[in-house]
Amino acid sequence: MIDKIVIKNLLPLVFTGMEETEAIRSSQIWEQPPFVFERNCRLCIRAESGGGKSSLLSFIYGSRSDYKGDILFDDIDARSISIEQWCRIRSEAISMLPQDMGLFPELTVAQNIHLKNNRTKHKSDSEIRDMLARTGIAEKYDIRVRYLSIGQQQRVAFIRALCQPFDFIFLDEPVSHLDARNNKILADMVSDEARRQNAGIIATSVGNNLLLDDAQFISL
């Protein structure tokens, strides 16, 4: 269980030398005193394209380490975490929906979702079908992902991200291709799941924000 994620003086290495620019100086995260993600938080991180939002989530998820500064899970430095510990964190404590969605186009919707759920056993097949129905893509269950629109693919990836236990869920531009109605459906779904798990939600956006109730907005 992770109760808080703390970032201290964090900056992507590619931004080295840009510390005095307005983009960095006005950021609420880069090169700032400790910023804390608390369990139960509801955050929308807004940034311009190329501002580093995907990099931030990759640093926290441990898939990239090209940064200076510190990331702490409670009091544990992320750089000291072993591969085995990362595997446990990614299956039990942190769920991630990357901007590129990470779907396998030659697999069906059901196969993509069950790749995760077969490991976690977090949702029943009935629950998965209910989520697909709630998002308006129930009839796509046995359809290969390659034949879906980008908006439909986002819904599949979103559902897959909910198929595990988590203390925090990070969503990178999760609704960029969705209208307000479908945006709100997904926002309510992740809010319901987060309440059940006493978890925090952090979503990024370049304009189309995830419509979370009572969300705090911060600028990257």
Side-chain angles (χ1 to χ4, degrees), residues 4 59 75 90 108 130 136 151 161 163 165 167 191 214:
K4 63 182 178 180
F59 299 155
D75 296 320
R90 292 168 184 161
T108 67
D130 285 345
C163 290
D167 303 318
S191 294
D214 302 320

Side-chain angles (χ1 to χ4, degrees), residues 12 17-18 29 57 64 66 68 73 82 84 107 110 122 128 132 137 161 171 184 199 214:
M18 299 172 59
I29 292 181
L57 302 196
R64 286 177 54 185
D66 53 318
K68 62 180 182 178
F73 296 128
S82 68
E84 291 77 15
L107 298 183
H122 190 65
I128 290 170
L132 290 169
I137 53 173
L171 309 162
K184 191 64 171 68
D214 302 320

Side-chain angles (χ1 to χ4, degrees), residues 124-188:
S124 66
D125 187 65
S126 176
E127 287 174 315
I128 290 170
R129 288 179 181 271
D130 285 345
M131 288 191 288
L132 290 169
R134 188 172 174 183
T135 58
I137 53 173
E139 76 282 2
K140 306 298 184 181
Y141 188 84
D142 291 315
I143 301 299
R144 292 184 182 181
V145 163
R146 64 180 298 182
Y147 297 118
L148 272 56
S149 70
I150 297 299
Q152 290 170 334
Q153 290 181 27
Q154 284 189 318
R155 282 172 268 179
V156 174
F158 199 101
I159 290 169
R160 186 180 61 184
L162 299 182
C163 290
Q164 70 166 85
F166 56 83
D167 303 318
F168 294 88
I169 185 168
F170 291 89
L171 309 162
D172 195 4
E173 293 192 54
V175 293
S176 59
H177 287 74
L178 297 181
D179 57 24
R181 176 180 172 277
N182 283 298
N183 182 331
K184 191 64 171 68
I185 289 171
L186 296 192
D188 290 346

